[in-house]
Amino acid sequence: MRHAREIIRLKFSSVSTHEIARRFGMARSTVREALKRTETAGLSWPLPEEMSDGALEAALYASRRSKRGHRRVAELDWAGVHRELNQQSASRGVMSSGAPYRRPANTNPTED
């Protein structure tokens, strides 16, 4: 979080959560989350002089379950979805049903 140091400083200067959120143009819930992480990390103002922004971020986000930007659910195989949608007899209705599309064995769309 880019403003973590300033959020902590302002809160320990008795500035309200609402005012901090207004100053930085962010949601109050974001400010509350940063302050909750500060408390969980055992940090208070003034921060140690040797604490860099990277070290502050590492302390605040040490308890995260996954790395930032990583999904807990596997991404769909979009190329496979595209291939299936481009099949002649596939419809979006069949695709959205969740069941894998299987062309009936006895039909061939090229034969009449």
Side-chain angles (χ1 to χ4, degrees):
M1 171 176 283
R2 290 185 352 205
H3 303 293
R5 188 178 300 274
E6 281 300 300
I7 290 171
I8 297 167
R9 182 186 68 77
L10 289 171
K11 190 60 182 178
F12 278 90
S13 299
S14 300
V15 177
S16 71
T17 304
H18 180 78
E19 178 61 19
I20 295 170
R22 188 194 66 74
R23 287 184 188 185
F24 292 112
M26 59 179 63
R28 285 180 283 184
S29 61
T30 303
V31 174
R32 283 193 303 269
E33 180 68 23
L35 295 172
K36 185 174 110 181
R37 287 180 182 279
T38 301
E39 186 178 316
T40 302
L43 299 172
S44 64
W45 191 259
L47 294 172
E49 290 181 23
E50 67 275 359
M51 183 172 268
S52 67
D53 288 340
L56 175 60
E57 187 171 334
L60 293 177
Y61 295 98
S63 64
R64 281 183 81 123
R65 286 187 226 151
S66 64
K67 293 181 182 177
R68 187 182 306 176
H70 290 241
R71 298 176 188 245
R72 291 184 211 152
V73 178
E75 184 72 25
L76 287 176
D77 175 20
W78 292 109
V81 170
H82 181 73
R83 278 190 307 274
E84 287 188 36
L85 282 173
N86 284 331
Q87 289 179 358
Q88 233 176 2
S89 58
S91 69
R92 284 178 174 74
V94 171
M95 296 299 294
S96 65
S97 70
Y101 174 76
R102 304 242 192 288
R103 176 177 287 154
N106 61 352
T107 61
N108 187 346
T110 59
E111 295 178 2
D112 285 29

